[in-house]
Amino acid sequence: MKQFTDEEKLNILSDLISMKSVNENEIEVANYLKNLFLDYDIDSTIIPVTDTRVNLVAEIGSGHPVIGISGHMDVVSAGDENEWVSDPFTLTERNGKLYGRGTNDMKAGLVNLVLVMIELKENNELINGTVRFMATTGEEVGGAGSKKLYEEGYMADVEYLWVAEPSHDTIIYSHKGSLNLKVTSKGESAHSSMPHLGRNAINPLMAYLLELDRKLNNDDRVNDVLGQLVMSTTLFNAGNQVNSVPEKAIAEINVRTIPEFDNDEVIALFKKTAETYSKNGAQIDVDVTMSLPSVFTSGKSNMVNLAKSIGRKHLGFDIDLKGSPGATDASNLLRDKGVDFPFMMFGPGETKMAHKTNEYVYKDYYFAFFDIYKDLILELTRK
Ligand SMILES: [Zn+2]
């Protein structure tokens, strides 16, 4: 009978934290997990996504139901490492908290999913159904890994999906989409003493951005769970020197979308407005650099109900049900699933802690979620 001890759980998490899986180095995590699975006779497949990036998929059991469990292997940069109290890539315990880059977002959740699968397999506890583990690459930078899994059909037969992103006291069953646009305005340079000889690239771009900002952020469509769409211009670069009329200006925009005002409609609006400006003497081009649709499910499923009661049992407090403004891999994984599809994001850690300096996860929650995940799979696959 395999039962991971607390020490083993901490050691494995510590190994994962020591791997700097900041952009493009997820393969180290994938190889480690592949070997760990192999120690317990679980086959897994490394799926190349780009030259350097990979996903990892492993499966136990057979037949229905097919439960999809997912987490990303990448972490965001540690930022200024001097701002950290302890080394971001050394798991460090202080006052019941486990510090390190990726403890919260989301290696604690990822390790739990792996260890639960191993115990279920090793102890023959899964009497029914399939559990498919899908570890992704590049979640923090556009979701290339989850897109690949969706395209290769790994979600086709999945009947339940949960993503172990940090949200310890709340089950997220819907979230906004995320759309990145890059807008380039081209003009003609001239000396600023004779601006009429050139065409200023900044001016029309500012007008264009402000017009869209007013239009999008004042749109009155509201999703009951997710609220309104929001748009922010987040980057603006232009000009070479103070006495030259700029020939080029580039802005980048992030839009958080809702089903009622979705990515396609926003893209069409940006392009149509650009055409209007271009007809009037400007030259504005729009590129879509990332497009993750919103995820909207009803949250009404036996899985969510079970997660609520099992969560309460192991955490000792009531679990909320909510929508979230942040996007996850579910944007890609659930591309063709309907509103009734049982989906949740639920994992150890606090949503607000993601991407922060001195990131931590509470040790108790890390352990509790192992029990939650295991009980949940056993309940869902019970005949
Ligand atoms: Zn995350």
Side-chain angles (χ1 to χ4, degrees):
M1 177 100 180
K2 178 66 196 174
Q3 237 181 329
F4 284 101
T5 62
D6 287 356
E7 199 191 342
E8 284 176 294
K9 288 174 183 169
L10 289 173
N11 286 340
I12 292 168
L13 181 58
S14 172
D15 287 347
L16 247 62
I17 296 302
S18 73
M19 296 167 196
K20 299 187 179 180
S21 54
V22 183
N23 291 345
E24 307 218 342
N25 193 32
E26 297 97 345
I27 192 157
E28 205 181 333
V29 176
N31 284 329
Y32 178 93
L33 295 179
K34 190 175 176 45
N35 287 329
L36 183 61
F37 277 130
L38 210 56
D39 288 344
Y40 298 93
D41 295 321
I42 298 175
D43 282 331
S44 60
T45 312
I46 287 185
I47 300 164
V49 177
T50 66
D51 289 349
T52 49
R53 311 194 92 135
V54 299
N55 292 326
L56 180 74
V57 175
E59 201 171 283
I60 57 168
S62 62
H64 294 284
V66 181
I67 301 173
I69 56 180
S70 181
H72 60 82
M73 296 181 282
D74 53 326
V75 298
V76 294
S77 141
D80 181 358
E81 297 195 11
N82 295 319
E83 298 277 309
W84 287 71
V85 175
S86 50
D87 175 34
F89 298 102
T90 305
L91 187 75
T92 310
E93 184 176 345
R94 293 193 296 277
N95 305 321
K97 296 170 182 169
L98 304 170
Y99 287 86
R101 172 54 86 221
T103 46
N104 174 86
D105 184 16
M106 55 167 289
K107 286 176 171 171
L110 193 69
V111 171
N112 277 332
L113 297 177
V114 171
L115 301 188
V116 164
M117 274 188 70
I118 290 172
E119 276 196 15
L120 289 171
K121 164 81 174 15
E122 198 62 13
N123 305 334
N124 281 318
E125 289 171 284
L126 189 70
I127 30 171
N128 200 23
T130 306
V131 181
R132 185 173 303 146
F133 169 81
M134 296 174 279
T136 63
T137 182
E139 192 272 345
E140 302 289 5
V141 287
S146 50
K147 187 159 177 276
K148 179 91 176 173
L149 291 176
Y150 167 75
E151 286 167 355
E152 298 213 335
Y154 284 95
M155 281 301 296
D157 57 348
V158 170
E159 294 162 281
Y160 298 95
L161 176 72
W162 77 75
V163 177
E165 288 267 13
S167 168
H168 73 287
D169 57 359
T170 309
I171 291 169
I172 306 287
Y173 60 92
S174 288
H175 62 68
K176 281 184 172 172
S178 186
L179 172 65
N180 290 342
L181 299 153
K182 187 173 178 180
V183 181
T184 306
S185 165
K186 285 191 189 128
E188 216 183 309
S189 63
H191 196 280
S192 59
S193 62
M194 296 169 284
H196 59 281
L197 296 180
R199 248 179 335 114
N200 193 314
I202 292 180
N203 292 351
L205 185 57
M206 286 199 301
Y208 171 87
L209 292 169
L210 290 172
E211 180 179 333
L212 285 162
D213 192 290
R214 268 191 303 274
K215 209 173 264 177
L216 268 68
N217 286 321
N218 292 316
D219 192 273
D220 56 11
R221 284 170 279 184
V222 184
N223 181 279
D224 289 344
V225 176
L226 302 172
Q228 284 171 289
L229 169 148
V230 290
M231 162 195 159
S232 306
T233 298
T234 45
L235 292 168
F236 196 102
N237 283 301
N240 297 317
Q241 61 180 43
V242 70
N243 58 351
S244 287
V245 170
E247 61 180 342
K248 199 172 180 185
I250 299 175
E252 294 190 56
I253 296 101
N254 177 250
V255 189
R256 299 296 170 139
T257 55
I258 55 175
E260 292 78 1
F261 194 174
D262 65 11
N263 298 29
D264 288 345
E265 189 180 344
V266 173
I267 294 166
L269 192 58
F270 267 76
K271 290 198 165 161
K272 193 167 156 267
T273 309
E275 272 171 34
T276 309
Y277 275 72
S278 296
K279 269 185 205 135
N280 294 315
Q283 190 192 334
I284 293 181
D285 292 303
V286 180
D287 288 312
V288 178
T289 52
M290 183 187 87
S291 182
L292 295 173
S294 60
V295 167
F296 189 71
T297 71
S298 68
K300 292 181 176 60
S301 64
N302 59 335
M303 179 185 76
V304 168
N305 294 341
L306 279 168
K308 221 166 130 62
S309 61
I310 294 169
R312 182 165 204 332
K313 181 176 139 207
H314 291 293
L315 292 164
F317 46 76
D318 284 329
I319 314 293
D320 272 351
L321 288 179
K322 274 189 193 156
S324 156
T328 70
D329 278 328
S331 287
N332 285 322
L333 297 177
L334 297 184
R335 271 178 195 268
D336 59 7
K337 307 287 189 216
V339 69
D340 294 323
F341 186 87
F343 160 71
M344 67 177 181
M345 169 187 139
F346 188 38
E350 295 148 274
T351 312
K352 66 172 164 57
M353 179 51 56
H355 304 190
K356 286 207 168 169
T357 301
N358 295 311
E359 176 180 346
Y360 66 80
V361 65
Y362 282 100
K363 189 167 77 169
D364 288 351
Y365 295 163
Y366 172 46
F367 293 148
F369 269 85
F370 175 91
D371 298 328
I372 292 170
Y373 290 158
K374 192 163 175 190
D375 283 5
L376 191 54
I377 291 176
L378 290 173
E379 284 296 327
L380 285 174
T381 53
R382 199 178 294 282
K383 267 236 160 101

